[in-house]
């Protein structure tokens, strides 16, 4: 049913355009608001936006079609998206989704006939320590069970607005289990900035260098080098961006930092801005964390009132800097820094061709630094307490501490901060892992570690991680884990380059074939070849890492798939006898002659 | 700076290749007569870097030749069995992603996808076909748009934007759902200002954009790639690649 005629659409949308200054850069933010008004993006809205922003209609349609949380078809007044991370699966989300759909006579992925609601799944919502989780119209639901779903069904039947639902449904806990220097010590807003101003920018940059701080988003690039390259680049404007697009499944440490340490993160951004010479910063907040938006805006307002943001910060003449929050809309790829910048510019989140790199040509082609949330929190601490203090923690090439998001088969899921160099076994003991058999370190794009490797250490020299640590006990079906990862990458590939767009789909199909008991030895060989093509020919890190779970499984966990394989050397993906089922149904036959031998 | 300085050089497959500042590996290779396979790149338009056929090994690291700036210390290998095997895999991926039925296609013999498959000695599509339902748009009086054959090279997108100044085409969707869209609320090509004389109507490397009433004017068997290897044809950069 598409009963959507919008005679008043222009009057409805003009105030939105005005609020965003009719800037094409704000296209994604505008589309988010349109989605909230109509619960989808009507074709008439696309035409109207294109006219008012003076951009081709194809550009608006291109952006609207890219992000998962924007919908080109009606998705109902209530859109419920069940988190599809492996931890949510282990906590029972698939069964809960079936229960909910059955209760409300729904089919997943389809809107109800009265246009009231739709149910579907979405990539990890970052609530692995308190799942099973879901989103309703973008707001996080945690600790789901049958009773809560019954209540939610009732609320929807009564057409109660989501803002009036009981707050306990939306409760999100920090679950900090082990605090180190970053999480444990209190931060006085302004302390790091005062130290920076006293010491001077060059000397503070030298402290960053001395600290050995490396990016916490996974790649581990030296922060001092990145900042000094950006500082040295000529441009009309410099920008600093906080990458809070925490999309790696199983990671939720930035959620906690933004919830309870937002001042520290903003302080780190402001220190960075002082050093690189930026007067404008962006916090790119993943769509799944939009529930934090209001609180973050309040922190920014307090900092402005305290003279820590705005013009002449801390009375320093000419030190002007402010932060704007930009909301994502469901796209893992936007965690990649150049895709994030494209998204900030209101475009499809497509990784750019590099060089040039963002430090010289970033946002609006100007020198730009993009840093992870945790990196910026570390930078604030270093600015306040000095580089030597920081470098004294951790290992030779991985200074400081690392915040881990631990979930899966353990008694105490949550946030753990350790100095770099900690052995995996010790972490597993601390979190109460039950008979651990495998650990996915740094999510699907990271490494699947077997029990023989539990003596390995968390650091850039050995096991680098952006923060996710998902524990699997003995008896867990690791093929299911890898199948979940394969589906994730196929869903999140941006579609730009051939090897990733097609390769992630082919990988998904072959893993499904094996999981459905139709795999053979030749399929394993096929997976290795595909993995090689994706690793070596893809455009960006998503494609380069998309085969990691599969390749780790093949190499380290033969028990997980060998019993599934057919004895034949080859089994076609096409099931010939299955294809005759339609003919059997039509003729009403099911005798031996109606089947292939 | 006056005349372009050609003081820099690198090697591609052992051959000494000079280049000037601002040139990509692909530009330099083209100028020096070294063939690197490609589908989404056409020297008349901004490089795009999406098909990945032109990935080469630069000092041991894989890079996209059409977008990577040439640099003095580069030792590039391109025509190797390993890279050509991976390129063949990419062409096979494109074949199974779309619905390419060469014997029944008007573009057969003029199609660069087909010609790249010949060049890379592709014997079969190898992978499982996707059989995705894709639309044919015949609404325009002079042009067919058949998305079954679209390989998302975005040459029509670039030509319409950069040369025709029209923005008739764009890209929407994500992942395997990525698809070409046209600049009309109806989604129909006939409702755009596209014209058969537009540059964008001439650049499709496959048969996704076909001019009506021209079909089979040149019989199959007498077409470009029926007689010429794609490596010869694509080395003539600024001439039309279709006869």
């Amino acid at each position: 049913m598409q009963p959507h005629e919008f005679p008043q659409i222009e009057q409805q949308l003009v105030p939105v355009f005005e609020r965003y200054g009719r800037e094409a850069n704000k296209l994604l933010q505008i589309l988010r608001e349109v989605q909230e008004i109509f619960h989808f993006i009507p074709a008439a809205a696309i035409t109207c936006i294109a006219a008012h922003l003076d951009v081709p209609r194809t550009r608006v349609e291109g952006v609207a079609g890219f992000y998962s949380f924007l919908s080109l078809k009606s998705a109902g007044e209530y859109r419920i998206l069940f988190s599809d991370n492996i931890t949510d699966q282990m906590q029972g989300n698939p069964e809960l989704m079936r229960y909910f759909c059955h209760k409300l006579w729904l089919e997943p992925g389809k809107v109800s006939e009265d246009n009231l609601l739709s149910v579907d799944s979405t990539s990890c919502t970052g609530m692995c320590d308190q799942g099973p989780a879901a989103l309703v119209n973008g707001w996080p639901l945690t600790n789901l069970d049958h009773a809560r779903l019954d209540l939610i069904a009732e609320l929807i039947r009564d057409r109660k607005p989501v803002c009036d639902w009981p707050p306990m449904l939306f409760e999100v806990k920090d679950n900090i289990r082990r605090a180190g220097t970053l999480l444990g010590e209190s931060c006085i807003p302004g302390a790091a900035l005062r130290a920076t101003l006293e010491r001077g920018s060059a000397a503070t940059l030298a402290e960053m260098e001395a600290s050995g701080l490396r990016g916490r988003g996974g790649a581990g690039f030296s922060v001092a080098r990145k900042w000094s390259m950006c500082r040295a680049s000529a441009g009309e404007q410099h920008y600093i961006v906080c990458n809070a697009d925490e999309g790696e499944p199983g990671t939720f440490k930035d959620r906690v930092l933004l919830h309870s340490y937002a001042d520290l993160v903003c302080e780190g951004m402001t220190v960075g801005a002082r050093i690189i010479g930026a007067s404008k910063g962006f916090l790119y907040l993943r769509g799944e964390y939009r529930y934090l938006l209001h609180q973050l805006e309040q922190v920014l307002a307090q900092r402005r009132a305290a003279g820590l943001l705005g013009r002449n910060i801390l009375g320093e003449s000419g030190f002007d800097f402010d932060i704007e929050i930009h909301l994502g809309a469901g796209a893992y790829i936007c965690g990649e820094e150049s895709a994030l910048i494209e998204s900030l510019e209101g475009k499809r989140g497509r990784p750019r061709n590099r060089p040039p790199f963002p430090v010289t040509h970033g946002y609006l082609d100007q020198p730009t630094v993009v840093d992870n949330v945790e990196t910026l929190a570390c930078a604030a601490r270093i600015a306040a307490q000095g580089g030597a203090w920081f470098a004294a923690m951790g290992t030779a090439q991985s200074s400081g501490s690392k915040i881990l998001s631990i979930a899966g088969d353990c008694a105490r899921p949550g946030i753990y901060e350790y100095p770099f160099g900690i052995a995996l076994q010790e972490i597993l003991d601390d979190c109460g892992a039950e008979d651990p058999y495998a650990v996915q370190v740094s999510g699907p794009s990271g490494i699947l570690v077997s029990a023989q490797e539990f003596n390995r250490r968390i650091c850039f020299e050995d096991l680098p991680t952006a923060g996710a640590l998902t524990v699997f006990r003995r008896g867990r079906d690791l093929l299911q884990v890898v199948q979940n990862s394969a589906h994730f990458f196929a869903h999140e590939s941006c579609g730009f380059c051939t090897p990733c767009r097609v390769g992630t789909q082919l990988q998904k199909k072959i893993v499904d074939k094996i999981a459905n008991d139709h795999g053979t030895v030749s399929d394993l060989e096929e997976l290795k070849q595909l993995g090689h093509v994706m690793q070596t020919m893809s455009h960006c890190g998503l494609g380069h890492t998309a085969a990691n779970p599969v390749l780790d499984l093949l190499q380290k966990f033969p028990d997980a798939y060998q019993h599934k394989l057919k004895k034949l050397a080859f089994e076609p993906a096409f099931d010939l006898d299955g294809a005759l089922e339609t003919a059997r149904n039509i003729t009403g036959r099911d005798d031996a002659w109606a089947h292939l031998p | 700076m006056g005349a372009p300085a050609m003081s820099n050089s690198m090697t591609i497959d052992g051959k000494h290749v000079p280049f000037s500042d601002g040139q990509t590996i692909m530009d330099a290779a083209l100028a020096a007569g070294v063939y690197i396979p490609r589908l989404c790149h056409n020297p008349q338009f901004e490089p795009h870097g999406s098909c990945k056929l032109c990935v080469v090994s630069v000092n041991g690291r894989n890079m996209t030749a059409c977008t990577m700036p040439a640099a003095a210390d580069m030792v590039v290998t391109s025509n190797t069995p390993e890279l050509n095997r991976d390129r063949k895999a990419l062409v096979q991926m494109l074949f199974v992603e779309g619905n390419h039925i060469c014997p029944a296609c008007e573009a057969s013999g003029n199609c660069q996808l087909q010609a790249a498959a010949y060049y890379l000695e592709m014997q079969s599509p190898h992978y499982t076909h996707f059989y995705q339902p894709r639309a044919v748009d015949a609404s325009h009086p002079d042009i067919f748009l058949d998305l079954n054959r679209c390989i998302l090279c975005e040459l029509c997108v670039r030509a319409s934007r950069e040369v025709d100044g029209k923005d008739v085409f764009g890209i929407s969707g994500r992942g395997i759902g990525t698809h070409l869209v046209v600049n009309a609320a109806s989604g129909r090509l006939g409702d755009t200002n596209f014209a058969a004389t537009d540059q964008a109507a001439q650049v499709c490397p496959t048969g996704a954009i076909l001019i009506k009433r021209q079909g089979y004017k040149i019989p199959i068997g007498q077409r470009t790639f029926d007689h010429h290897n794609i490596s010869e044809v694509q080395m003539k950069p600024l001439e039309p690649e279709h006869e």
Side-chain angles (χ1 to χ4, degrees), chain A residues 444-524:
Chain A
S445 76
I447 308 169
L448 196 57
V449 173
S450 72
Q452 287 95 310
E453 304 171 87
F454 286 170
N455 58 345
R456 291 181 70 178
R457 295 172 312 133
I458 299 290
C459 55
F460 292 107
E461 298 96 309
D462 188 358
L463 272 178
T465 174
L469 223 137
T470 310
V471 185
F472 304 105
R473 64 168 159 73
R474 192 168 305 279
R476 280 285 177 205
D477 181 359
L478 286 187
L479 185 59
Q480 191 200 336
V481 173
V482 168
Q483 194 180 10
N484 178 265
S485 302
H487 281 247
F488 167 75
F489 285 120
H491 182 256
E492 296 296 344
S493 168
C494 84
F496 174 69
C497 75
T498 313
C500 178
R501 182 182 70 243
V502 186
T504 53
Q505 289 290 330
L506 290 168
Q507 175 175 268
K508 176 178 99 169
K509 287 175 193 217
I510 299 172
V511 173
D512 284 350
K513 186 184 169 194
I514 297 171
N516 295 332
D517 300 317
H518 287 290
T520 62
V521 177
S522 67
D523 289 310
L524 305 181

Side-chain angles (χ1 to χ4, degrees), chain A residues 201-223:
Chain A
S201 295
T204 304
L205 191 55
E207 291 297 330
M208 292 296 154
E209 178 77 54
S211 75
L213 175 62
R214 298 171 68 171
R216 273 19 182 178
F221 195 80
S222 153
V223 170

Side-chain angles (χ1 to χ4, degrees), chain A residues 137-178:
Chain A
N137 294 355
W139 300 93
L141 297 161
T142 53
N143 293 308
L144 288 175
D145 55 23
H146 291 117
R148 287 192 176 202
L149 288 175
D150 290 344
L151 172 62
I152 289 166
E154 211 50 45
L155 291 163
I156 291 174
R157 280 202 192 108
D158 295 345
R159 296 182 181 247
K160 211 157 199 200
V162 173
C163 56
D164 296 336
W165 288 17
M168 64 94 175
L169 288 173
F170 303 102
E171 196 183 18
V172 178
K173 293 205 174 99
D174 275 356
N175 288 331
I176 297 173
R177 312 283 185 183
R178 190 182 194 280

Side-chain angles (χ1 to χ4, degrees), chain B residues 185-239:
Chain B
S186 65
R188 286 152 46 102
L189 191 63
D191 294 330
T192 69
N193 57 350
F194 195 40
T197 49
D198 285 0
Q199 185 68 19
Q202 330 299 326
V203 293
C204 181
T206 69
I209 298 174
L210 288 179
I211 313 282
K212 288 183 178 176
R213 296 174 294 278
Q214 303 288 313
Y216 303 101
K217 266 196 175 165
I218 302 168
I220 287 180
Q222 296 173 27
R223 299 174 172 196
T224 309
F225 301 118
D226 294 333
H227 298 282
H228 301 280
N229 192 301
I230 191 171
S231 62
E232 302 163 41
V233 178
Q234 285 192 337
M235 290 314 289
K236 293 180 262 173
L238 291 173
E239 288 164 33

Side-chain angles (χ1 to χ4, degrees), chain A residues 295-311:
Chain A
Q295 193 200 331
L296 286 168
E297 293 283 13
Q298 281 181 323
V299 171
L300 294 179
Q302 282 159 14
R303 291 184 69 84
R304 281 179 203 118
L308 300 171
L309 274 180
R311 299 189 69 82

Side-chain angles (χ1 to χ4, degrees), chain A residues 74 180 220 269 273 577:
Chain A
S74 173
M269 276 183 88
D577 189 61

